[in-house]
Amino acid sequence: MHPPSTREFLHEFIGHYVALEGKLWKSLLLLLFRPGQLTLEYINGRRVRYIQPLRLYLTFSLIFFAVAKYTGHDDVPAQPQRGQAPAAAAAHDKAAKKDGLVREDEPGEIAEGTVELRKGISNVNAHWGEQADRFSNMSPAERDKVMRTAFSSYVPYAVFLMMPLFALYLKVLYLGSGRRYGEHLLFALHVHGFAFLALTLLIVTPNVLGIVSFVLGLWLVFYTPVAMRRVYGGSRLVTGLRWLVLMALHVTGLGLAIGAAFGFGILH
């Protein structure tokens, strides 16, 4: 056998690891335009023609985090936003404080709070305390670099680890439905795969007169309840109530997980 050419290697990689073959397009059509149908197809045994749920999720999540990293959308601003002049930022803060929207803390209060936080971290773990001190003494550019590294290195794992909890929430919300936990997990992977795909499209698609972001954002919001009703059945009202509870639980858990990921990235 001859050594594979670059073209053959790329075809093999794309076909088997990124899943850009015929299965992708069939899966994409259902995933984008018929919420929940891909999950039903898989539950009903019609699996061969579609991408495996875990592969689909991993593919779109990896694409999203890569796009976010290389387009600068992983920025976690701790300063005035780019393009906002320092004077304008100061004026905005002053106006907010004047209107009572922001409490004006004394510099001593802020410094004391920071010291107490670092002491608390040191009491838990001495190494973490040292890392917290090191982070607090960094320049803004160095802090930005650490936060970006934490975003790309740890946030994907934090989001992925929330999948079993998301499925557990569904299991509780649909007690008596006869659905097994694995089916809820399947639904979770498909819904989050769509979310990563939609967020990627929001980043890379030109926003013509704000229409693109509006349509994608609207579809991103209402996708899950539409998918829930198709997969689990039920009235619109009951599905809407379940969706609100699901989102409240998931957004809270996701926020804590992402916060922990950033904390780990800083203190690691």
Side-chain angles (χ1 to χ4, degrees):
M1 293 181 62
H2 69 281
S5 65
T6 303
R7 182 177 179 179
E8 291 171 334
F9 175 80
L10 288 175
H11 181 271
E12 187 75 10
F13 177 82
I14 291 173
H16 294 281
Y17 295 96
V18 188
L20 288 178
E21 285 188 349
K23 290 183 179 182
L24 174 65
W25 309 116
K26 294 175 183 177
S27 302
L28 271 179
L29 287 174
L30 292 185
L31 189 70
L32 281 172
F33 302 114
R34 298 195 67 190
Q37 187 61 41
L38 188 57
T39 302
L40 285 178
E41 290 285 302
Y42 209 87
I43 290 173
N44 292 330
R46 295 185 288 272
R47 307 175 181 183
V48 177
R49 68 189 72 173
Y50 304 110
I51 298 174
Q52 295 176 358
L54 183 58
R55 174 178 286 188
L56 183 143
Y57 171 87
L58 292 175
T59 297
F60 290 130
S61 66
L62 287 172
I63 290 173
F64 166 74
F65 283 107
V67 170
K69 179 178 180 179
Y70 290 109
T71 59
H73 283 78
D74 61 341
D75 188 27
V76 184
Q79 307 174 66
Q81 296 181 0
R82 293 176 183 177
Q84 182 181 15
H92 177 274
D93 292 342
K94 185 176 180 181
K97 291 169 183 175
K98 182 178 179 181
D99 293 337
L101 299 175
V102 177
R103 186 176 70 85
E104 187 170 7
D105 295 321
E106 294 295 329
E109 294 178 13
I110 298 174
E112 184 179 350
T114 304
V115 171
E116 290 299 320
L117 177 61
R118 295 208 299 267
K119 284 183 178 178
I121 294 173
S122 296
N123 291 334
V124 175
N125 186 292
H127 173 70
W128 289 356
E130 293 173 2
Q131 293 297 95
D133 285 334
R134 188 175 70 86
F135 181 77
S136 65
N137 293 325
M138 288 179 178
S139 67
E142 290 173 326
R143 291 184 188 180
D144 181 68
K145 183 178 179 181
V146 170
M147 297 295 278
R148 285 173 180 269
T149 301
F151 177 85
S152 59
S153 300
Y154 302 111
V155 171
Y157 294 103
V159 177
F160 180 74
L161 290 175
M162 292 303 296
M163 293 300 102
L165 268 181
F166 188 91
L168 180 61
Y169 300 150
L170 286 168
K171 180 68 175 176
V172 173
L173 288 170
Y174 284 98
L175 281 175
S177 67
R179 295 288 187 191
R180 294 170 295 178
Y181 177 78
E183 294 174 355
H184 299 302
L185 186 58
L186 175 66
F187 179 85
L189 290 171
H190 282 152
V191 166
H192 284 81
F194 164 80
F196 280 123
L197 175 58
L199 290 171
T200 303
L201 291 175
L202 276 171
I203 294 174
V204 302
T205 305
N207 190 17
V208 182
L209 300 177
I211 296 174
V212 174
S213 60
F214 175 77
V215 172
L216 282 172
L218 199 65
W219 193 222
L220 189 59
V221 170
F222 290 104
Y223 183 92
T224 301
V226 174
M228 288 169 66
R229 191 158 183 263
R230 176 166 280 140
V231 172
Y232 298 103
S235 67
R236 288 186 175 87
L237 177 60
V238 174
T239 299
L241 292 174
R242 282 172 168 151
W243 170 64
L244 289 174
V245 174
L246 177 66
M247 287 300 100
L249 292 171
H250 187 53
V251 169
T252 300
L254 197 59
L256 292 173
I258 292 174
F262 275 114
F264 184 80
I266 292 170
L267 302 178
H268 184 61

mmCIF file of all heavy atoms in Angstrom, residues 27 30-31 34-51 53 177 179-180 182-191 223 225-234:
data_model
loop_
_atom_site.group_PDB
_atom_site.id
_atom_site.type_symbol
_atom_site.label_atom_id
_atom_site.label_comp_id
_atom_site.label_asym_id
_atom_site.label_seq_id
_atom_site.Cartn_x
_atom_site.Cartn_y
_atom_site.Cartn_z
ATOM 1 N N SER A 27 -28.722 14.957 8.932
ATOM 2 C CA SER A 27 -28.856 15.318 10.348
ATOM 3 C C SER A 27 -29.101 16.813 10.516
ATOM 4 O O SER A 27 -29.925 17.229 11.343
ATOM 5 C CB SER A 27 -27.603 14.901 11.120
ATOM 6 O OG SER A 27 -27.359 13.523 10.999
ATOM 7 N N LEU A 30 -32.773 18.024 9.765
ATOM 8 C CA LEU A 30 -33.689 17.754 10.871
ATOM 9 C C LEU A 30 -33.347 18.602 12.090
ATOM 10 O O LEU A 30 -34.234 19.140 12.758
ATOM 11 C CB LEU A 30 -33.659 16.270 11.242
ATOM 12 C CG LEU A 30 -34.232 15.288 10.217
ATOM 13 C CD1 LEU A 30 -34.244 13.880 10.796
ATOM 14 C CD2 LEU A 30 -35.632 15.685 9.796
ATOM 15 N N LEU A 31 -32.064 18.702 12.384
ATOM 16 C CA LEU A 31 -31.644 19.433 13.575
ATOM 17 C C LEU A 31 -32.041 20.904 13.508
ATOM 18 O O LEU A 31 -32.515 21.480 14.496
ATOM 19 C CB LEU A 31 -30.122 19.321 13.746
ATOM 20 C CG LEU A 31 -29.544 19.859 15.062
ATOM 21 C CD1 LEU A 31 -29.949 18.967 16.218
ATOM 22 C CD2 LEU A 31 -28.025 19.947 14.969
ATOM 23 N N ARG A 34 -36.500 20.944 12.073
ATOM 24 C CA ARG A 34 -37.549 20.131 12.693
ATOM 25 C C ARG A 34 -37.108 19.750 14.105
ATOM 26 O O ARG A 34 -36.655 18.627 14.358
ATOM 27 C CB ARG A 34 -37.849 18.884 11.862
ATOM 28 C CG ARG A 34 -38.366 19.187 10.471
ATOM 29 C CD ARG A 34 -38.995 17.960 9.836
ATOM 30 N NE ARG A 34 -40.212 17.565 10.541
ATOM 31 C CZ ARG A 34 -40.854 16.417 10.309
ATOM 32 N NH1 ARG A 34 -40.383 15.558 9.420
ATOM 33 N NH2 ARG A 34 -41.957 16.131 10.978
ATOM 34 N N PRO A 35 -37.195 20.682 15.048
ATOM 35 C CA PRO A 35 -36.713 20.439 16.414
ATOM 36 C C PRO A 35 -37.309 19.172 17.017
ATOM 37 O O PRO A 35 -38.529 18.980 17.009
ATOM 38 C CB PRO A 35 -37.197 21.691 17.165
ATOM 39 C CG PRO A 35 -37.368 22.730 16.122
ATOM 40 C CD PRO A 35 -37.802 22.008 14.891
ATOM 41 N N GLY A 36 -36.454 18.339 17.537
ATOM 42 C CA GLY A 36 -36.886 17.113 18.195
ATOM 43 C C GLY A 36 -37.013 15.914 17.278
ATOM 44 O O GLY A 36 -37.007 14.769 17.750
ATOM 45 N N GLN A 37 -37.132 16.125 15.974
ATOM 46 C CA GLN A 37 -37.341 15.012 15.052
ATOM 47 C C GLN A 37 -36.129 14.098 14.977
ATOM 48 O O GLN A 37 -36.275 12.876 14.867
ATOM 49 C CB GLN A 37 -37.678 15.545 13.647
ATOM 50 C CG GLN A 37 -38.083 14.469 12.659
ATOM 51 C CD GLN A 37 -39.326 13.709 13.090
ATOM 52 O OE1 GLN A 37 -40.286 14.309 13.599
ATOM 53 N NE2 GLN A 37 -39.332 12.397 12.908
ATOM 54 N N LEU A 38 -34.933 14.664 15.045
ATOM 55 C CA LEU A 38 -33.726 13.845 15.012
ATOM 56 C C LEU A 38 -33.684 12.918 16.226
ATOM 57 O O LEU A 38 -33.288 11.753 16.123
ATOM 58 C CB LEU A 38 -32.484 14.736 14.978
ATOM 59 C CG LEU A 38 -31.133 14.051 14.762
ATOM 60 C CD1 LEU A 38 -31.135 13.241 13.468
ATOM 61 C CD2 LEU A 38 -30.003 15.071 14.745
ATOM 62 N N THR A 39 -34.113 13.424 17.374
ATOM 63 C CA THR A 39 -34.187 12.595 18.578
ATOM 64 C C THR A 39 -35.192 11.457 18.392
ATOM 65 O O THR A 39 -34.908 10.298 18.739
ATOM 66 C CB THR A 39 -34.595 13.449 19.793
ATOM 67 O OG1 THR A 39 -33.657 14.515 19.962
ATOM 68 C CG2 THR A 39 -34.623 12.614 21.057
ATOM 69 N N LEU A 40 -36.352 11.768 17.836
ATOM 70 C CA LEU A 40 -37.363 10.735 17.596
ATOM 71 C C LEU A 40 -36.866 9.681 16.613
ATOM 72 O O LEU A 40 -37.121 8.482 16.793
ATOM 73 C CB LEU A 40 -38.646 11.379 17.065
ATOM 74 C CG LEU A 40 -39.511 12.125 18.081
ATOM 75 C CD1 LEU A 40 -40.714 12.757 17.391
ATOM 76 C CD2 LEU A 40 -39.973 11.188 19.197
ATOM 77 N N GLU A 41 -36.179 10.123 15.569
ATOM 78 C CA GLU A 41 -35.640 9.185 14.594
ATOM 79 C C GLU A 41 -34.691 8.204 15.276
ATOM 80 O O GLU A 41 -34.730 6.995 15.029
ATOM 81 C CB GLU A 41 -34.897 9.942 13.490
ATOM 82 C CG GLU A 41 -35.784 10.752 12.566
ATOM 83 C CD GLU A 41 -36.536 9.880 11.581
ATOM 84 O OE1 GLU A 41 -35.896 9.132 10.820
ATOM 85 O OE2 GLU A 41 -37.778 9.935 11.593
ATOM 86 N N TYR A 42 -33.857 8.715 16.136
ATOM 87 C CA TYR A 42 -32.876 7.867 16.816
ATOM 88 C C TYR A 42 -33.570 6.933 17.806
ATOM 89 O O TYR A 42 -33.229 5.752 17.906
ATOM 90 C CB TYR A 42 -31.847 8.744 17.535
ATOM 91 C CG TYR A 42 -30.495 8.098 17.661
ATOM 92 C CD1 TYR A 42 -29.546 8.221 16.653
ATOM 93 C CD2 TYR A 42 -30.158 7.352 18.790
ATOM 94 C CE1 TYR A 42 -28.303 7.621 16.768
ATOM 95 C CE2 TYR A 42 -28.920 6.753 18.917
ATOM 96 C CZ TYR A 42 -27.995 6.884 17.891
ATOM 97 O OH TYR A 42 -26.772 6.280 18.006
ATOM 98 N N ILE A 43 -34.572 7.441 18.551
ATOM 99 C CA ILE A 43 -35.307 6.610 19.510
ATOM 100 C C ILE A 43 -36.052 5.488 18.804
ATOM 101 O O ILE A 43 -36.128 4.358 19.301
ATOM 102 C CB ILE A 43 -36.294 7.489 20.322
ATOM 103 C CG1 ILE A 43 -35.516 8.404 21.288
ATOM 104 C CG2 ILE A 43 -37.274 6.622 21.109
ATOM 105 C CD1 ILE A 43 -36.382 9.416 22.005
ATOM 106 N N ASN A 44 -36.583 5.794 17.628
ATOM 107 C CA ASN A 44 -37.369 4.811 16.876
ATOM 108 C C ASN A 44 -36.512 3.843 16.062
ATOM 109 O O ASN A 44 -37.041 3.064 15.266
ATOM 110 C CB ASN A 44 -38.355 5.533 15.954
ATOM 111 C CG ASN A 44 -39.430 6.263 16.742
ATOM 112 O OD1 ASN A 44 -39.815 5.846 17.846
ATOM 113 N ND2 ASN A 44 -39.924 7.369 16.206
ATOM 114 N N GLY A 45 -35.205 3.902 16.233
ATOM 115 C CA GLY A 45 -34.329 2.909 15.623
ATOM 116 C C GLY A 45 -33.785 3.267 14.258
ATOM 117 O O GLY A 45 -33.029 2.477 13.670
ATOM 118 N N ARG A 46 -34.145 4.440 13.734
ATOM 119 C CA ARG A 46 -33.628 4.840 12.417
ATOM 120 C C ARG A 46 -32.344 5.641 12.624
ATOM 121 O O ARG A 46 -32.307 6.858 12.466
ATOM 122 C CB ARG A 46 -34.697 5.661 11.673
ATOM 123 C CG ARG A 46 -35.940 4.847 11.351
ATOM 124 C CD ARG A 46 -36.927 5.650 10.521
ATOM 125 N NE ARG A 46 -37.571 6.681 11.283
ATOM 126 C CZ ARG A 46 -38.700 6.518 11.991
ATOM 127 N NH1 ARG A 46 -39.297 5.324 12.014
ATOM 128 N NH2 ARG A 46 -39.245 7.508 12.647
ATOM 129 N N ARG A 47 -31.274 4.930 12.941
ATOM 130 C CA ARG A 47 -30.043 5.575 13.389
ATOM 131 C C ARG A 47 -28.945 5.609 12.344
ATOM 132 O O ARG A 47 -28.078 6.484 12.381
ATOM 133 C CB ARG A 47 -29.519 4.860 14.640
ATOM 134 C CG ARG A 47 -30.558 4.733 15.742
ATOM 135 C CD ARG A 47 -30.035 3.927 16.904
ATOM 136 N NE ARG A 47 -31.034 3.788 17.957
ATOM 137 C CZ ARG A 47 -30.820 3.181 19.116
ATOM 138 N NH1 ARG A 47 -29.633 2.633 19.352
ATOM 139 N NH2 ARG A 47 -31.775 3.103 20.016
ATOM 140 N N VAL A 48 -28.938 4.633 11.456
ATOM 141 C CA VAL A 48 -27.813 4.464 10.543
ATOM 142 C C VAL A 48 -27.622 5.669 9.639
ATOM 143 O O VAL A 48 -26.488 6.050 9.320
ATOM 144 C CB VAL A 48 -28.017 3.187 9.684
ATOM 145 C CG1 VAL A 48 -26.893 3.037 8.671
ATOM 146 C CG2 VAL A 48 -28.101 1.960 10.583
ATOM 147 N N ARG A 49 -28.701 6.320 9.254
ATOM 148 C CA ARG A 49 -28.606 7.414 8.280
ATOM 149 C C ARG A 49 -28.192 8.742 8.903
ATOM 150 O O ARG A 49 -28.017 9.729 8.192
ATOM 151 C CB ARG A 49 -29.961 7.585 7.582
ATOM 152 C CG ARG A 49 -31.064 8.085 8.476
ATOM 153 C CD ARG A 49 -32.443 8.030 7.812
ATOM 154 N NE ARG A 49 -32.934 6.670 7.694
ATOM 155 C CZ ARG A 49 -34.163 6.358 7.277
ATOM 156 N NH1 ARG A 49 -34.991 7.320 6.917
ATOM 157 N NH2 ARG A 49 -34.551 5.104 7.227
ATOM 158 N N TYR A 50 -28.050 8.788 10.230
ATOM 159 C CA TYR A 50 -27.751 10.048 10.903
ATOM 160 C C TYR A 50 -26.452 9.959 11.705
ATOM 161 O O TYR A 50 -25.982 8.873 12.033
ATOM 162 C CB TYR A 50 -28.903 10.453 11.836
ATOM 163 C CG TYR A 50 -30.225 10.552 11.132
ATOM 164 C CD1 TYR A 50 -31.231 9.613 11.376
ATOM 165 C CD2 TYR A 50 -30.471 11.572 10.211
ATOM 166 C CE1 TYR A 50 -32.451 9.695 10.726
ATOM 167 C CE2 TYR A 50 -31.693 11.656 9.554
ATOM 168 C CZ TYR A 50 -32.671 10.712 9.809
ATOM 169 O OH TYR A 50 -33.877 10.792 9.152
ATOM 170 N N ILE A 51 -25.923 11.127 12.036
ATOM 171 C CA ILE A 51 -24.710 11.188 12.862
ATOM 172 C C ILE A 51 -25.047 10.781 14.282
ATOM 173 O O ILE A 51 -26.109 11.137 14.813
ATOM 174 C CB ILE A 51 -24.139 12.621 12.868
ATOM 175 C CG1 ILE A 51 -23.749 13.037 11.456
ATOM 176 C CG2 ILE A 51 -22.928 12.722 13.773
ATOM 177 C CD1 ILE A 51 -23.323 14.483 11.370
ATOM 178 N N PRO A 53 -25.377 10.941 18.151
ATOM 179 C CA PRO A 53 -25.638 12.142 18.957
ATOM 180 C C PRO A 53 -24.393 12.735 19.626
ATOM 181 O O PRO A 53 -24.204 13.942 19.623
ATOM 182 C CB PRO A 53 -26.642 11.656 20.008
ATOM 183 C CG PRO A 53 -27.297 10.485 19.371
ATOM 184 C CD PRO A 53 -26.263 9.829 18.513
ATOM 185 N N SER A 177 -43.779 9.562 32.028
ATOM 186 C CA SER A 177 -43.880 9.588 30.570
ATOM 187 C C SER A 177 -43.437 8.268 29.942
ATOM 188 O O SER A 177 -43.714 8.006 28.769
ATOM 189 C CB SER A 177 -43.022 10.725 30.005
ATOM 190 O OG SER A 177 -41.638 10.471 30.226
ATOM 191 N N ARG A 179 -40.383 7.556 29.394
ATOM 192 C CA ARG A 179 -39.092 7.768 28.743
ATOM 193 C C ARG A 179 -37.959 7.360 29.681
ATOM 194 O O ARG A 179 -37.960 7.706 30.866
ATOM 195 C CB ARG A 179 -38.926 9.240 28.363
ATOM 196 C CG ARG A 179 -39.913 9.743 27.324
ATOM 197 C CD ARG A 179 -39.617 9.185 25.975
ATOM 198 N NE ARG A 179 -40.446 9.767 24.927
ATOM 199 C CZ ARG A 179 -40.513 9.294 23.688
ATOM 200 N NH1 ARG A 179 -39.798 8.234 23.339
ATOM 201 N NH2 ARG A 179 -41.287 9.878 22.794
ATOM 202 N N ARG A 180 -36.989 6.654 29.129
ATOM 203 C CA ARG A 180 -35.826 6.256 29.915
ATOM 204 C C ARG A 180 -34.827 7.407 29.994
ATOM 205 O O ARG A 180 -34.842 8.327 29.181
ATOM 206 C CB ARG A 180 -35.164 5.029 29.285
ATOM 207 C CG ARG A 180 -36.030 3.770 29.326
ATOM 208 C CD ARG A 180 -35.437 2.668 28.480
ATOM 209 N NE ARG A 180 -35.419 3.030 27.068
ATOM 210 C CZ ARG A 180 -34.918 2.258 26.117
ATOM 211 N NH1 ARG A 180 -34.370 1.095 26.421
ATOM 212 N NH2 ARG A 180 -34.946 2.652 24.852
ATOM 213 N N GLY A 182 -31.732 7.467 29.253
ATOM 214 C CA GLY A 182 -30.906 7.562 28.049
ATOM 215 C C GLY A 182 -31.576 8.360 26.953
ATOM 216 O O GLY A 182 -30.898 9.050 26.174
ATOM 217 N N GLU A 183 -32.894 8.316 26.871
ATOM 218 C CA GLU A 183 -33.614 9.085 25.868
ATOM 219 C C GLU A 183 -33.567 10.579 26.193
ATOM 220 O O GLU A 183 -33.472 11.413 25.291
ATOM 221 C CB GLU A 183 -35.059 8.588 25.776
ATOM 222 C CG GLU A 183 -35.159 7.163 25.250
ATOM 223 C CD GLU A 183 -36.575 6.619 25.302
ATOM 224 O OE1 GLU A 183 -37.466 7.319 25.838
ATOM 225 O OE2 GLU A 183 -36.800 5.491 24.814
ATOM 226 N N HIS A 184 -33.631 10.898 27.469
ATOM 227 C CA HIS A 184 -33.493 12.300 27.881
ATOM 228 C C HIS A 184 -32.085 12.817 27.586
ATOM 229 O O HIS A 184 -31.906 13.967 27.167
ATOM 230 C CB HIS A 184 -33.788 12.444 29.380
ATOM 231 C CG HIS A 184 -35.176 12.039 29.776
ATOM 232 N ND1 HIS A 184 -36.298 12.620 29.241
ATOM 233 C CD2 HIS A 184 -35.605 11.106 30.657
ATOM 234 C CE1 HIS A 184 -37.379 12.071 29.780
ATOM 235 N NE2 HIS A 184 -36.981 11.150 30.642
ATOM 236 N N LEU A 185 -31.099 11.955 27.802
ATOM 237 C CA LEU A 185 -29.718 12.337 27.515
ATOM 238 C C LEU A 185 -29.522 12.549 26.016
ATOM 239 O O LEU A 185 -28.817 13.479 25.592
ATOM 240 C CB LEU A 185 -28.757 11.267 28.030
ATOM 241 C CG LEU A 185 -27.262 11.571 27.947
ATOM 242 C CD1 LEU A 185 -26.922 12.842 28.716
ATOM 243 C CD2 LEU A 185 -26.449 10.395 28.497
ATOM 244 N N LEU A 186 -30.151 11.706 25.227
ATOM 245 C CA LEU A 186 -30.117 11.861 23.775
ATOM 246 C C LEU A 186 -30.704 13.210 23.358
ATOM 247 O O LEU A 186 -30.132 13.927 22.530
ATOM 248 C CB LEU A 186 -30.898 10.708 23.138
ATOM 249 C CG LEU A 186 -31.106 10.719 21.632
ATOM 250 C CD1 LEU A 186 -29.770 10.564 20.919
ATOM 251 C CD2 LEU A 186 -32.052 9.595 21.226
ATOM 252 N N PHE A 187 -31.839 13.557 23.945
ATOM 253 C CA PHE A 187 -32.473 14.843 23.659
ATOM 254 C C PHE A 187 -31.545 15.993 24.047
ATOM 255 O O PHE A 187 -31.420 16.986 23.323
ATOM 256 C CB PHE A 187 -33.793 14.939 24.439
ATOM 257 C CG PHE A 187 -34.545 16.220 24.248
ATOM 258 C CD1 PHE A 187 -35.403 16.383 23.169
ATOM 259 C CD2 PHE A 187 -34.398 17.279 25.135
ATOM 260 C CE1 PHE A 187 -36.104 17.568 22.982
ATOM 261 C CE2 PHE A 187 -35.089 18.460 24.959
ATOM 262 C CZ PHE A 187 -35.948 18.607 23.886
ATOM 263 N N ALA A 188 -30.892 15.864 25.205
ATOM 264 C CA ALA A 188 -29.977 16.911 25.683
ATOM 265 C C ALA A 188 -28.830 17.131 24.703
ATOM 266 O O ALA A 188 -28.464 18.276 24.398
ATOM 267 C CB ALA A 188 -29.435 16.542 27.062
ATOM 268 N N LEU A 189 -28.256 16.063 24.191
ATOM 269 C CA LEU A 189 -27.148 16.183 23.238
ATOM 270 C C LEU A 189 -27.589 16.875 21.953
ATOM 271 O O LEU A 189 -26.874 17.726 21.408
ATOM 272 C CB LEU A 189 -26.576 14.802 22.929
ATOM 273 C CG LEU A 189 -25.807 14.116 24.066
ATOM 274 C CD1 LEU A 189 -25.496 12.671 23.708
ATOM 275 C CD2 LEU A 189 -24.521 14.873 24.395
ATOM 276 N N HIS A 190 -28.767 16.526 21.455
ATOM 277 C CA HIS A 190 -29.256 17.143 20.227
ATOM 278 C C HIS A 190 -29.575 18.622 20.426
ATOM 279 O O HIS A 190 -29.226 19.465 19.584
ATOM 280 C CB HIS A 190 -30.504 16.401 19.738
ATOM 281 C CG HIS A 190 -30.187 15.118 19.044
ATOM 282 N ND1 HIS A 190 -31.052 14.035 19.012
ATOM 283 C CD2 HIS A 190 -29.087 14.713 18.350
ATOM 284 C CE1 HIS A 190 -30.508 13.046 18.323
ATOM 285 N NE2 HIS A 190 -29.320 13.435 17.916
ATOM 286 N N VAL A 191 -30.225 18.953 21.517
ATOM 287 C CA VAL A 191 -30.581 20.350 21.773
ATOM 288 C C VAL A 191 -29.332 21.211 21.925
ATOM 289 O O VAL A 191 -29.254 22.320 21.381
ATOM 290 C CB VAL A 191 -31.477 20.452 23.026
ATOM 291 C CG1 VAL A 191 -31.582 21.895 23.503
ATOM 292 C CG2 VAL A 191 -32.876 19.918 22.721
ATOM 293 N N TYR A 223 -36.467 27.100 20.260
ATOM 294 C CA TYR A 223 -36.161 25.774 19.718
ATOM 295 C C TYR A 223 -36.469 24.668 20.725
ATOM 296 O O TYR A 223 -37.107 23.660 20.385
ATOM 297 C CB TYR A 223 -34.686 25.730 19.311
ATOM 298 C CG TYR A 223 -34.267 24.431 18.658
ATOM 299 C CD1 TYR A 223 -34.312 24.290 17.277
ATOM 300 C CD2 TYR A 223 -33.805 23.351 19.409
ATOM 301 C CE1 TYR A 223 -33.915 23.108 16.659
ATOM 302 C CE2 TYR A 223 -33.418 22.169 18.809
ATOM 303 C CZ TYR A 223 -33.474 22.054 17.438
ATOM 304 O OH TYR A 223 -33.093 20.882 16.833
ATOM 305 N N PRO A 225 -38.471 24.430 23.553
ATOM 306 C CA PRO A 225 -39.867 24.047 23.817
ATOM 307 C C PRO A 225 -40.549 23.372 22.622
ATOM 308 O O PRO A 225 -41.371 22.471 22.816
ATOM 309 C CB PRO A 225 -40.544 25.377 24.173
ATOM 310 C CG PRO A 225 -39.651 26.437 23.661
ATOM 311 C CD PRO A 225 -38.275 25.876 23.732
ATOM 312 N N VAL A 226 -40.223 23.803 21.403
ATOM 313 C CA VAL A 226 -40.784 23.149 20.219
ATOM 314 C C VAL A 226 -40.306 21.699 20.158
ATOM 315 O O VAL A 226 -41.089 20.774 19.888
ATOM 316 C CB VAL A 226 -40.392 23.907 18.933
ATOM 317 C CG1 VAL A 226 -40.841 23.137 17.696
ATOM 318 C CG2 VAL A 226 -41.005 25.301 18.925
ATOM 319 N N ALA A 227 -39.008 21.486 20.417
ATOM 320 C CA ALA A 227 -38.456 20.128 20.417
ATOM 321 C C ALA A 227 -39.071 19.287 21.528
ATOM 322 O O ALA A 227 -39.378 18.096 21.329
ATOM 323 C CB ALA A 227 -36.938 20.189 20.574
ATOM 324 N N MET A 228 -39.260 19.872 22.695
ATOM 325 C CA MET A 228 -39.865 19.149 23.822
ATOM 326 C C MET A 228 -41.261 18.664 23.476
ATOM 327 O O MET A 228 -41.636 17.517 23.762
ATOM 328 C CB MET A 228 -39.902 20.051 25.057
ATOM 329 C CG MET A 228 -38.549 20.309 25.692
ATOM 330 S SD MET A 228 -38.589 21.620 26.949
ATOM 331 C CE MET A 228 -39.622 20.869 28.211
ATOM 332 N N ARG A 229 -42.046 19.516 22.852
ATOM 333 C CA ARG A 229 -43.423 19.140 22.517
ATOM 334 C C ARG A 229 -43.447 18.031 21.467
ATOM 335 O O ARG A 229 -44.298 17.142 21.512
ATOM 336 C CB ARG A 229 -44.196 20.366 22.038
ATOM 337 C CG ARG A 229 -45.695 20.116 21.922
ATOM 338 C CD ARG A 229 -46.474 21.413 21.986
ATOM 339 N NE ARG A 229 -47.891 21.128 21.951
ATOM 340 C CZ ARG A 229 -48.651 21.176 20.860
ATOM 341 N NH1 ARG A 229 -48.108 21.540 19.700
ATOM 342 N NH2 ARG A 229 -49.943 20.892 20.895
ATOM 343 N N ARG A 230 -42.517 18.077 20.513
ATOM 344 C CA ARG A 230 -42.486 17.041 19.479
ATOM 345 C C ARG A 230 -42.070 15.694 20.063
ATOM 346 O O ARG A 230 -42.609 14.654 19.684
ATOM 347 C CB ARG A 230 -41.540 17.451 18.359
ATOM 348 C CG ARG A 230 -41.371 16.376 17.283
ATOM 349 C CD ARG A 230 -40.702 16.915 16.036
ATOM 350 N NE ARG A 230 -41.643 17.625 15.194
ATOM 351 C CZ ARG A 230 -41.376 18.757 14.541
ATOM 352 N NH1 ARG A 230 -40.185 19.313 14.658
ATOM 353 N NH2 ARG A 230 -42.281 19.324 13.788
ATOM 354 N N VAL A 231 -41.109 15.700 20.973
ATOM 355 C CA VAL A 231 -40.584 14.442 21.515
ATOM 356 C C VAL A 231 -41.472 13.892 22.624
ATOM 357 O O VAL A 231 -41.767 12.686 22.658
ATOM 358 C CB VAL A 231 -39.140 14.639 22.037
ATOM 359 C CG1 VAL A 231 -38.649 13.387 22.777
ATOM 360 C CG2 VAL A 231 -38.206 14.969 20.886
ATOM 361 N N TYR A 232 -41.915 14.780 23.527
ATOM 362 C CA TYR A 232 -42.625 14.306 24.715
ATOM 363 C C TYR A 232 -44.138 14.469 24.633
ATOM 364 O O TYR A 232 -44.869 13.866 25.428
ATOM 365 C CB TYR A 232 -42.114 15.060 25.948
ATOM 366 C CG TYR A 232 -40.648 14.842 26.223
ATOM 367 C CD1 TYR A 232 -39.702 15.813 25.893
ATOM 368 C CD2 TYR A 232 -40.195 13.668 26.810
ATOM 369 C CE1 TYR A 232 -38.346 15.614 26.143
ATOM 370 C CE2 TYR A 232 -38.848 13.462 27.069
ATOM 371 C CZ TYR A 232 -37.933 14.441 26.730
ATOM 372 O OH TYR A 232 -36.601 14.240 26.986
ATOM 373 N N GLY A 233 -44.622 15.290 23.697
ATOM 374 C CA GLY A 233 -46.048 15.536 23.620
ATOM 375 C C GLY A 233 -46.494 16.518 24.703
ATOM 376 O O GLY A 233 -45.684 17.145 25.381
ATOM 377 N N GLY A 234 -47.814 16.651 24.872
ATOM 378 C CA GLY A 234 -48.343 17.571 25.877
ATOM 379 C C GLY A 234 -48.831 18.865 25.259
ATOM 380 O O GLY A 234 -48.505 19.189 24.112
#
